[in-house]
Amino acid sequence: QVQLVESGGGLVQSGGSLRLSCAASGIIFRLNAMDWYRPAPGKERELVAGITAGGSRTKYLDSLKGRFTISRDNAKNTLYLPMNSLHSADTAVYYCKARDLDVWGQGTLVTVSS
C-alpha cells in the first residue's frame, strides 16, 4: 500500500527553523515528482513546494521568499522541507504528496509562536 508519513513539525519561535520529512513507501519513489502542501485561507490546500523525480527542478510558493527548500534523497525514499525564518503565517499542517497520486499522509503540524 502507498504510505506517506510526514514528520518534523513542532512548536517554534518566530524566526526559528524546522526540517520536515516525508517517508514514502509503496511507490517507486525515485520515479515520482513530489510536492509539499498546506491549508490556506480560501483554499483546501496550496502548493508550498515541488520537486521533480530526479531533483533537478524545484518550484515554490511565491510568498516563501526563499525561506523554504525542498529536497529529496531517493536512496532513502524521503522528501525534505527545511524551513527557515518561520513566522506565524507559516503555522499549518504540512502534507506531502506524490504529484501523480491522490494519496496523503497524516500531515505534520508546524506551529510558530510570536
Side-chain angles (χ1 to χ4, degrees):
Q1 59 183 9
V2 178
Q3 189 171 22
L4 302 173
V5 181
E6 302 93 337
S7 62
L11 175 63
V12 298
Q13 298 275 13
S14 180
S17 299
L18 288 171
R19 186 181 73 165
L20 307 186
S21 298
C22 171
S25 60
I27 64 173
I28 306 176
F29 182 76
R30 64 182 177 86
L31 299 182
N32 285 92
M34 300 293 296
D35 300 305
W36 286 99
Y37 286 83
R38 67 186 183 189
K43 298 180 179 179
E44 182 179 2
R45 291 171 180 170
E46 66 182 357
L47 180 68
V48 174
I51 188 168
T52 55
S56 60
R57 296 187 299 279
T58 59
K59 59 184 178 182
Y60 298 93
L61 186 67
D62 288 343
S63 61
L64 294 179
K65 301 289 187 180
R67 297 181 296 113
F68 291 11
T69 302
I70 187 169
S71 64
R72 64 192 297 157
D73 187 339
N74 284 347
K76 297 181 178 179
N77 288 0
T78 302
L79 179 72
Y80 300 101
L81 188 69
M83 305 183 295
N84 299 311
S85 301
L86 288 162
H87 51 76
S88 60
D90 298 317
T91 295
V93 178
Y94 287 76
Y95 301 87
C96 69
K97 180 185 180 293
R99 187 167 297 169
D100 298 324
L101 298 173
D102 190 19
V103 178
W104 305 84
Q106 83 287 350
T108 186
L109 175 62
V110 172
T111 303
V112 184
S113 65
S114 58

